[in-house]
Amino acid sequence: MIAPAAPSPPSSARREAAHAALDLLATMVAIVTPAGECEFANTSFENVLGLSRRSMSKTPFFDWFVDAAALRETVGAVSSNAFATSRLEAVLKRPGSGEGLPVHVTVNQIDGSRDVVFEIVEIEQQHRHEREERALEQAEVSR
Protein backbone atom coordinates (compact mmCIF):
# COMPACT_ATOMS: atom_id res chain seq x y z
CA MET A 1 0.00 0.00 0.00
CA ILE A 2 1.29 3.46 -0.89
CA ALA A 3 1.40 5.96 1.92
CA PRO A 4 -0.43 9.24 1.24
CA ALA A 5 1.77 12.16 0.27
CA ALA A 6 2.68 14.49 3.09
CA PRO A 7 0.83 17.80 2.90
CA SER A 8 2.91 20.61 1.45
CA PRO A 9 3.99 23.28 3.91
CA PRO A 10 2.12 26.56 3.90
CA SER A 11 3.15 29.11 1.31
CA SER A 12 4.89 31.37 3.86
CA ALA A 13 6.92 28.44 5.21
CA ARG A 14 8.04 27.52 1.69
CA ARG A 15 8.95 31.15 1.01
CA GLU A 16 10.99 31.37 4.22
CA ALA A 17 12.79 28.12 3.34
CA ALA A 18 13.55 29.46 -0.14
CA HIS A 19 14.85 32.73 1.30
CA ALA A 20 17.08 30.82 3.74
CA ALA A 21 18.51 28.83 0.83
CA LEU A 22 19.12 31.99 -1.22
CA ASP A 23 20.97 33.50 1.73
CA LEU A 24 23.58 30.73 1.42
CA LEU A 25 24.55 31.72 -2.13
CA ALA A 26 27.71 33.69 -2.83
CA THR A 27 26.06 35.52 -5.74
CA MET A 28 23.74 38.47 -5.17
CA VAL A 29 20.06 37.50 -5.41
CA ALA A 30 16.90 39.58 -5.11
CA ILE A 31 13.20 38.90 -5.58
CA VAL A 32 11.53 41.92 -7.16
CA THR A 33 7.94 42.83 -8.04
CA PRO A 34 7.11 44.18 -11.51
CA ALA A 35 6.73 47.61 -9.88
CA GLY A 36 10.32 47.46 -8.63
CA GLU A 37 9.74 46.70 -4.96
CA CYS A 38 12.46 44.52 -3.48
CA GLU A 39 10.63 41.70 -1.70
CA PHE A 40 13.86 39.95 -0.69
CA ALA A 41 17.60 40.49 -1.02
CA ASN A 42 20.09 37.88 0.11
CA THR A 43 23.01 38.44 2.46
CA SER A 44 25.51 38.71 -0.38
CA PHE A 45 23.54 41.57 -1.94
CA GLU A 46 23.32 43.32 1.43
CA ASN A 47 27.07 43.01 1.90
CA VAL A 48 27.94 44.40 -1.53
CA LEU A 49 25.64 47.40 -1.10
CA GLY A 50 26.59 47.82 2.55
CA LEU A 51 22.93 48.21 3.52
CA SER A 52 20.39 46.19 5.46
CA ARG A 53 17.41 44.56 3.77
CA ARG A 54 15.14 47.02 5.51
CA SER A 55 17.07 49.96 4.05
CA MET A 56 17.11 48.34 0.62
CA SER A 57 13.35 47.78 0.66
CA LYS A 58 12.73 51.52 1.15
CA THR A 59 14.30 52.39 -2.20
CA PRO A 60 12.89 51.21 -5.54
CA PHE A 61 15.06 48.31 -6.72
CA PHE A 62 15.72 49.88 -10.11
CA ASP A 63 17.30 52.92 -8.44
CA TRP A 64 20.26 50.74 -7.37
CA PHE A 65 21.36 50.62 -11.02
CA VAL A 66 22.79 53.27 -13.34
CA ASP A 67 20.43 52.37 -16.22
CA ALA A 68 17.17 51.86 -14.36
CA ALA A 69 15.09 52.06 -17.55
CA ALA A 70 16.70 48.96 -19.10
CA LEU A 71 16.08 46.94 -15.95
CA ARG A 72 12.51 48.17 -15.66
CA GLU A 73 11.88 47.13 -19.27
CA THR A 74 13.49 43.72 -18.69
CA VAL A 75 11.41 43.05 -15.57
CA GLY A 76 8.26 44.04 -17.44
CA ALA A 77 9.06 41.62 -20.27
CA VAL A 78 9.96 38.71 -17.97
CA SER A 79 7.05 39.21 -15.57
CA SER A 80 4.56 39.44 -18.47
CA ASN A 81 5.93 36.18 -19.89
CA ALA A 82 7.43 37.73 -23.03
CA PHE A 83 10.66 35.98 -21.95
CA ALA A 84 11.29 33.28 -19.36
CA THR A 85 14.81 34.59 -18.75
CA SER A 86 16.73 37.69 -19.74
CA ARG A 87 20.40 38.54 -19.32
CA LEU A 88 22.11 41.90 -19.47
CA GLU A 89 25.09 43.80 -18.23
CA ALA A 90 24.50 46.69 -15.85
CA VAL A 91 26.26 48.93 -13.36
CA LEU A 92 25.23 48.61 -9.72
CA LYS A 93 25.38 51.83 -7.66
CA ARG A 94 27.09 51.41 -4.29
CA PRO A 95 26.10 54.01 -1.70
CA GLY A 96 29.03 55.90 -0.23
CA SER A 97 31.56 54.43 -2.65
CA GLY A 98 30.95 56.77 -5.58
CA GLU A 99 31.97 53.95 -7.91
CA GLY A 100 29.64 51.76 -9.91
CA LEU A 101 30.13 48.01 -9.90
CA PRO A 102 29.85 46.36 -13.35
CA VAL A 103 27.62 43.31 -13.05
CA HIS A 104 26.02 40.59 -15.15
CA VAL A 105 22.30 40.36 -14.39
CA THR A 106 20.04 37.39 -15.04
CA VAL A 107 16.31 37.93 -14.55
CA ASN A 108 14.09 34.81 -14.24
CA GLN A 109 10.40 34.18 -13.85
CA ILE A 110 9.02 32.66 -10.66
CA ASP A 111 6.40 29.95 -11.22
CA GLY A 112 2.98 31.04 -10.06
CA SER A 113 3.99 34.66 -9.49
CA ARG A 114 4.58 37.84 -11.45
CA ASP A 115 7.63 38.58 -9.26
CA VAL A 116 11.04 37.90 -10.77
CA VAL A 117 14.38 36.67 -9.42
CA PHE A 118 17.51 38.71 -10.07
CA GLU A 119 20.84 36.91 -9.97
CA ILE A 120 23.68 39.41 -10.04
CA VAL A 121 27.34 38.51 -10.53
CA GLU A 122 30.25 40.93 -10.57
CA ILE A 123 31.64 40.93 -14.11
CA GLU A 124 35.22 40.47 -12.86
CA GLN A 125 34.10 37.42 -10.88
CA GLN A 126 32.31 36.08 -13.98
CA HIS A 127 35.43 36.56 -16.15
CA ARG A 128 37.61 34.86 -13.54
CA HIS A 129 35.23 31.88 -13.43
CA GLU A 130 35.24 31.60 -17.24
CA ARG A 131 39.07 31.73 -17.32
CA GLU A 132 39.25 28.98 -14.71
CA GLU A 133 36.83 26.82 -16.72
CA ARG A 134 38.87 27.32 -19.91
CA ALA A 135 42.11 26.47 -18.09
CA LEU A 136 40.55 23.31 -16.67
CA GLU A 137 39.26 22.27 -20.11
CA GLN A 138 42.69 22.87 -21.65
CA ALA A 139 44.37 20.86 -18.91
CA GLU A 140 42.00 17.94 -19.52
CA VAL A 141 42.57 18.08 -23.30
CA SER A 142 46.35 18.07 -22.93
CA ARG A 143 46.37 14.94 -20.74
Side-chain angles (χ1 to χ4, degrees):
M1 177 168 205
I2 298 174
S8 63
S11 177
S12 63
R14 281 191 305 239
R15 185 174 30 250
E16 288 176 22
H19 290 178
L22 293 173
D23 261 340
L24 299 174
L25 297 175
T27 56
M28 295 174 271
V29 177
I31 297 175
V32 179
T33 68
E37 297 171 16
C38 185
E39 295 288 319
F40 171 79
N42 73 345
T43 303
S44 180
F45 202 9
E46 283 183 89
N47 291 338
V48 169
L49 285 182
L51 297 171
S52 70
R53 291 176 195 174
R54 184 175 294 166
S55 297
M56 291 173 66
S57 68
K58 293 179 183 175
T59 302
F61 183 77
F62 305 124
D63 289 353
W64 294 115
F65 294 87
V66 171
D67 188 2
L71 286 164
R72 191 173 283 112
E73 183 178 315
T74 299
V75 167
V78 171
S79 69
S80 68
N81 208 23
F83 303 106
T85 299
S86 185
R87 294 173 181 84
L88 63 139
E89 290 186 358
V91 177
L92 183 64
K93 297 177 188 175
R94 296 194 331 194
S97 127
E99 291 183 20
L101 179 66
V103 293
H104 181 80
V105 178
T106 304
V107 183
N108 290 298
Q109 294 176 336
I110 298 176
D111 289 339
S113 173
R114 289 204 30 151
D115 294 349
V116 296
V117 174
F118 272 76
E119 181 181 6
I120 305 163
V121 179
E122 295 177 41
I123 287 180
E124 182 56 38
Q125 180 182 3
Q126 173 109 10
H127 290 313
R128 184 173 50 246
H129 179 70
E130 289 169 357
R131 283 192 305 268
E132 289 170 358
E133 281 182 349
R134 279 193 302 272
L136 182 60
E137 287 172 4
Q138 289 174 352
E140 289 177 6
V141 168
S142 65
R143 286 184 196 183

